[in-house]
């Protein structure tokens, strides 16, 4: 990466620098408790959520203000999703799912501010979220259904010969779930941000050589277009993560196919 | 892709410019991220469950109640309006019947008065007709007598003028016979 950057005749390519984690105060090595830019942007997400859901709903008005109706819409949107996908018993777990949704949504959108840091672009964060869902759902499945939870892997309506094979496939796919669940989110967010950064690195070409007359407008346009796409992705990835959580929860609540 | 050495390098120079490898795979920052993620999620969770979700739930329930109440009130008012309309129609029908009755009575009264006046006028006219007829008859009788007298006198004069001897009785008889015939 660094070698490529040198060869481009003065252009600086550091598309991954935006994901760097550094200590907010001083140069000390990062301990687990060190306040870092991760802390800062997660805290900003918390502030936004508190602003929307605590200060926005402060009026408790029957006829809502704009902010309050946004909060109500978000609440109703996820509540309905949980109810539709996981059923009535799933509603009990709505606060957990809503928390995860809000965290991802606000991290993604705050990450779209130029120069910001996106916690959800880090595999460490999304893996904790993904494996957290996986472990909770698996434990829940066994606690609620006991050994019947294994029925999730044993297809009753398949031919008897195929059942063990299907069971192995189902088992593998079950254990791949948290991996795909977390990599999907981090990968999407990271890729989008990195691509924007690459185009941004091409943008000052006009200062360096004559070909910049073409390259600079094209890269500015590309940044704009990809930024629009990223706005969409920021919401869709939060939505996908949440709806998959609901689907996994449904499997734990009703393991029989 | 990331060897142990690069990880160590990244860990050592996490802050340095141009460190090799993806920051995502810099395992030295993982405990930090996980710790702050846990803090964040716990904070969001408590804010949601303690403050926000009960509040939103309360607002939604209250709104539902208000809407239900309003709909009920609207239904009641609608029923009242229907009753009022029925009462109005009733009153209107009754008034119409009353009016028809009054009109009929007035018409009958007028007719009675009219009949009385007509009868009176008829009687007066009849009396006048009788009187007039009497007078006409008188006049006619007078005229007949006068014509007879004039005819007799004229006949007598004519007879005497023609040189005959006027016998009053026979002239009168002849004139009377002529007048009759």
């Amino acid at each position: 990466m660094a070698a490529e950057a040198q060869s481009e005749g003065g252009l600086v390519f550091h598309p991954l620098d935006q994901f760097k984690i550094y200590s907010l105060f001083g140069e000390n090595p990062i301990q687990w408790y060190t306040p870092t830019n991760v802390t800062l942007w997660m805290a900003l997400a918390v502030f936004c959520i508190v602003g929307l859901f605590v200060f926005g709903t402060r009026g408790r008005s029957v006829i809502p203000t704009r902010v309050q109706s946004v909060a109500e819409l978000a609440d109703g949107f996820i509540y309905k999703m949980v109810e539709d996908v996981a059923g009535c018993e799933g509603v009990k777990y709505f606060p957990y799912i809503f928390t995860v949704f809000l965290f991802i949504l606000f991290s993604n959108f705050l990450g779209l501010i130029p120069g910001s840091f996106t916690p959800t672009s880090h595999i460490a964060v999304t893996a904790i979220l993904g494996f957290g869902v996986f472990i909770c759902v698996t434990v829940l499945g066994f606690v609620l259904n006991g050994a019947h939870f294994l029925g999730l892997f044993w297809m009753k309506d398949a031919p008897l010969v195929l059942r063990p094979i299907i069971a192995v496939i189902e088992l593998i796919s079950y254990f791949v779930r948290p991996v795909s669940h977390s990599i999907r989110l981090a990968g999407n967010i990271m890729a989008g941000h990195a691509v924007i950064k690459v185009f941004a690195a091409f943008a000052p070409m006009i200062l360096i050589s004559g070909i910049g007359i073409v390259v600079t407008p094209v890269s500015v346009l590309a940044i704009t277009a990809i930024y629009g796409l990223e706005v969409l992705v920021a919401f869709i990835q939060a939505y996908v993560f949440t709806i998959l959580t609901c689907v996994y929860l449904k499997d734990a609540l009703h393991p029989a196919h | 892709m990331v060897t142990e050495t690069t990880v160590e390098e990244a860990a050592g120079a996490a802050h340095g410019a141009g460190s090799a490898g993806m920051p995502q795979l810099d395992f030295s920052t993982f405990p930090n991220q996980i710790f702050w993620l846990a803090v964040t999620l716990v904070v969001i969770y408590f804010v949601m469950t303690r403050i926000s979700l009960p509040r939103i739930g309360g607002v939604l329930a209250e709104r539902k109640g208000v809407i239900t109440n309003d709909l009920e009130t609207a239904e009641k008012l609608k029923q009242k309006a229907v009753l009022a309309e029925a009462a109005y129609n009733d009153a209107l029908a009754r008034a119409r019947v009353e009016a028809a009755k009054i009109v009929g009575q007035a018409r009958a009264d007028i007719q009675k008065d009219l009949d009385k006046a007509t009868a009176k006028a008829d009687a007066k006219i009849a009396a006048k007709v009788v009187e007039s007829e009497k007078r006409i008859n008188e006049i006619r009788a007078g005229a007949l007598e006068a014509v007879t007298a004039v005819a007799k006198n004229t006949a007598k004069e004519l007879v005497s003028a023609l040189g005959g001897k006027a016998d009053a009785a026979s002239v009168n008889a002849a004139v009377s016979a002529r007048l009759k015939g």
Side-chain angles (χ1 to χ4, degrees):
Chain A
M1 193 71 63
E4 275 171 32
Q6 300 312 319
S7 68
E8 271 302 330
L11 285 183
V12 195
F13 278 90
H14 293 302
L16 296 179
D17 276 7
Q18 57 179 321
F19 304 119
K20 261 191 204 147
I21 291 167
Y22 52 84
S23 173
L24 283 180
F25 311 105
E27 294 273 325
N28 11 333
I30 294 166
Q31 302 296 320
W32 60 268
Y33 52 83
T34 316
T36 56
N37 50 348
V38 179
T39 321
L40 172 67
W41 287 94
M42 283 186 184
L44 285 175
V46 170
F47 282 135
C48 290
I49 292 168
V50 167
L52 177 57
F53 281 89
V54 177
F55 293 101
T57 61
R58 200 174 29 182
R60 298 164 203 256
S61 12
V62 172
I63 299 159
T65 58
R66 283 176 204 189
V67 182
Q68 189 186 324
S69 75
V70 168
E72 284 172 12
L73 277 176
D75 174 276
F77 176 62
I78 301 300
Y79 189 89
K80 191 155 170 10
M81 185 200 286
V82 175
E83 202 177 26
D84 286 353
V85 176
C88 300
E89 300 100 281
V91 165
K92 229 187 326 181
Y93 309 100
F94 163 68
Y96 302 89
I97 295 171
F98 197 41
T99 299
V100 169
F101 172 76
L102 287 179
F103 172 72
I104 297 173
L105 187 77
F106 277 88
S107 297
N108 287 354
F109 275 125
L110 286 173
L112 288 173
I113 298 169
S116 69
F117 172 81
T118 322
T120 41
S121 68
H122 274 262
I123 196 72
V125 171
T126 60
I128 292 299
L129 291 172
F131 277 92
V133 169
F134 175 76
I135 292 166
C136 289
V137 160
T138 309
V139 170
L140 200 64
F142 277 112
V143 168
L144 290 180
N145 306 292
H148 286 295
F149 184 58
L150 294 172
L152 189 62
F153 309 109
W154 197 251
M155 293 282 200
K156 289 258 167 44
D157 41 1
L160 192 60
V161 196
L162 288 178
R163 275 186 212 169
I165 304 168
I166 292 175
V168 170
I169 295 171
E170 286 280 323
L171 205 64
I172 293 171
S173 87
Y174 188 81
F175 280 99
V176 169
R177 274 178 179 183
V179 179
S180 67
H181 202 186
S182 48
I183 300 237
R184 181 184 301 114
L185 176 57
N188 269 291
I189 301 303
M190 193 194 91
H193 285 238
V195 167
I196 289 182
K197 204 71 170 187
V198 168
F199 279 115
F202 276 112
M205 189 74 139
I206 197 159
L207 305 171
I208 295 161
S209 82
I211 203 165
I213 292 167
V214 180
V215 173
T216 301
V218 168
S219 54
V220 168
L221 274 180
I223 291 171
T224 315
I226 291 179
Y227 193 91
L229 186 70
E230 281 308 295
V231 171
L232 203 65
V233 167
F235 175 75
I236 286 177
Q237 286 308 317
Y239 176 78
V240 164
F241 195 97
T242 315
I243 204 161
L244 282 176
T245 305
C246 293
V247 170
Y248 300 160
L249 180 64
K250 187 207 78 180
D251 281 347
L253 296 173
H254 316 284
H257 280 279
Chain B
M1 173 178 170
V2 178
T3 61
E4 269 184 35
T5 43
T6 50
V7 171
E8 274 161 23
E9 271 172 25
H15 213 68
S19 69
M22 290 164 65
Q24 275 86 348
L25 298 173
D26 179 358
F27 292 104
S28 70
T29 62
F30 275 28
N32 183 274
Q33 295 190 55
I34 292 167
F35 168 68
W36 287 114
L37 172 67
V39 171
T40 305
L41 289 181
V42 168
V43 169
I44 296 175
Y45 180 74
F46 274 97
V47 168
M48 283 294 130
T49 49
R50 292 296 137 102
I51 304 171
S52 222
L53 294 180
R55 194 183 280 177
I56 290 175
V59 167
L60 291 182
E62 195 187 334
R63 183 173 308 151
K64 209 174 173 189
V66 166
I67 289 171
T68 315
N69 273 347
D70 284 2
L71 283 180
E72 262 171 29
T73 314
E75 189 61 36
K76 262 183 214 157
L77 288 178
K78 202 177 159 191
Q79 270 172 0
K80 251 187 208 167
V82 167
L83 285 180
E85 203 194 346
Y88 165 76
N89 280 337
D90 215 40
L92 198 67
R94 243 183 294 151
R96 214 167 258 158
V97 167
E98 196 92 340
K101 218 190 276 171
I102 289 169
V103 166
Q105 203 161 357
R107 192 172 282 156
D109 284 355
I110 289 168
Q111 193 63 46
K112 225 194 283 173
D113 285 357
L114 199 63
D115 285 352
K116 219 189 269 171
T118 311
K120 217 191 225 168
D122 278 353
K124 228 184 238 171
I125 289 166
K128 274 237 169 105
V129 166
V130 167
E131 199 178 321
S132 302
E133 255 168 16
K134 213 162 77 189
R135 279 198 52 147
I136 288 167
N137 285 342
E138 269 171 21
I139 289 168
R140 194 177 279 155
L144 206 61
E145 264 172 38
V147 167
T148 314
V150 167
K152 280 173 183 169
N153 284 342
T154 309
K156 266 179 218 162
E157 289 302 313
L158 276 172
V159 170
S160 58
L162 289 170
K165 210 166 162 221
D167 179 6
S170 59
V171 169
N172 279 357
V175 169
S176 295
R178 274 282 187 192
L179 280 171
K180 264 173 205 159

